[in-house]
């Protein structure tokens, strides 16, 4: 799985901004849509997933799948699987756990810590890298977004209108393995 170069970046100063971003990405989602979420511990990956699921109509809790590896959600229009590979013992372990059919195009998938699976995963539609940047008032949250498919690119092209994103300008800050 080659790193994808981010084309957009969006500030995420608070959870409202995360919610707004998720609200703009949620309409892109359909069966087979694949999103990777990278970034340090606590960078905001689960919060984004929670906002995404809420926008897609899920009303219950959203547990971090750090220990279960995967939490399934039966949404109105499709099924969504939320993975967290932080504790994957080795790159192939998700296959050994029987999750190969999650990628058959019938289920939407969100994966935190995809880099723990090495190069065993398919190219995602969107790859979000949650990060901090240094600002006058201290560190500020932001997310860089890359698209790996035409439908991912179509999704990103509609974003700047919906949220306060701008062209990514950080050479070498690709959404790559850490
Ligand atoms: N945009 C934001 N603004 C302010 N606080 C945020 C934002 N996004 C997340 N947080 C807060 O940061 C904390 C960690 O967030 P979260 O659990 O989403 O991180 P994570 O990237 O999933 O971490 P992990 O790698 O451990 O799974 C939570 O308390 C959450 O409320
Ligand atoms: Mg998390």
């Amino acid at each position: 799985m080659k790193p994808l170069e981010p084309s957009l970046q969006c500030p995420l100063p608070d959870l409202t901004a995360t919610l707004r971003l998720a609200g703009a990405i949620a309409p892109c989602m359909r069966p087979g849509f694949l999103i990777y979420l990278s970034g340090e511990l606590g960078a905001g990956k689960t919060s984004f997933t929670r906002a995404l699921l809420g926008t897609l109509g899920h009303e219950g809790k959203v547990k971090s799948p750090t220990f279960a590896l995967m939490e399934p959600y039966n949404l109105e229009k499709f099924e969504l699987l939320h993975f967290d590979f932080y504790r994957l013992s080795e790159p192939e372990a998700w296959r050994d756990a029987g999750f190969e059919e999650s990628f058959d195009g019938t289920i939407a998938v969100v994966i935190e810590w995809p880099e723990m699976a090495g190069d065993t995963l398919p190219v995602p539609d969107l790859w979000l890298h949650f990060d901090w940047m240094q600002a006058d008032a201290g560190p500020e949250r932001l997310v860089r977004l890359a698209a790996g498919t035409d439908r991912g690119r179509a999704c990103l092209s509609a974003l700047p209108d919906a949220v306060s994103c701008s062209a990514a300008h950080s050479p070498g800050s690709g959404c790559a393995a850490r």
Side-chain angles (χ1 to χ4, degrees):
M1 187 175 52
K2 276 178 38 189
L4 302 177
E5 199 55 43
S7 56
L8 277 183
Q9 64 183 45
C10 318
L12 294 179
D14 50 33
L15 286 171
T16 306
T18 299
L19 194 57
R20 206 176 300 127
L21 178 68
I25 289 178
C28 307
M29 295 203 72
R30 56 207 72 234
F33 204 86
L34 180 56
I35 301 182
Y36 294 166
L37 307 177
S38 293
E40 304 277 328
L41 287 169
K45 304 176 293 296
T46 300
S47 300
F48 173 81
T49 310
R50 192 170 284 128
L52 197 60
L53 284 162
T55 308
L56 291 167
H58 174 71
E59 288 180 348
K61 281 184 96 171
V62 173
K63 278 197 294 180
S64 175
T66 309
F67 292 97
L69 204 63
M70 188 275 285
E71 294 285 343
Y73 297 89
N74 253 321
L75 304 173
E76 193 188 325
K77 292 189 180 152
F78 48 82
E79 189 180 0
L80 188 152
L81 302 183
H82 178 201
F83 288 94
D84 185 336
F85 284 167
Y86 185 67
R87 288 179 186 275
L88 219 54
S89 52
E90 52 173 354
E92 295 276 352
W94 63 273
R95 281 207 180 102
D96 302 340
F99 289 127
E100 191 115 43
E101 63 194 35
S102 309
F103 301 95
D104 66 3
T106 65
I107 301 167
V109 176
V110 175
I111 303 180
E112 297 185 39
W113 293 99
E115 40 283 284
M116 298 301 284
D119 58 3
T120 64
L121 291 170
V123 173
D125 293 290
L126 294 179
W127 197 337
L128 276 58
H129 192 111
F130 294 79
D131 205 353
W132 279 269
M133 70 178 176
Q134 221 29 258
D136 293 344
E140 278 180 9
R141 288 175 191 265
L142 86 159
V143 62
R144 295 191 181 87
L145 301 97
T149 62
D150 284 345
R151 65 184 179 185
R153 278 182 279 280
C155 186
L156 290 195
S157 67
L159 275 197
D161 292 338
V163 284
S164 56
C165 302
S166 55
H169 53 79
S170 184
S173 66
C175 294
R178 289 153 18 104

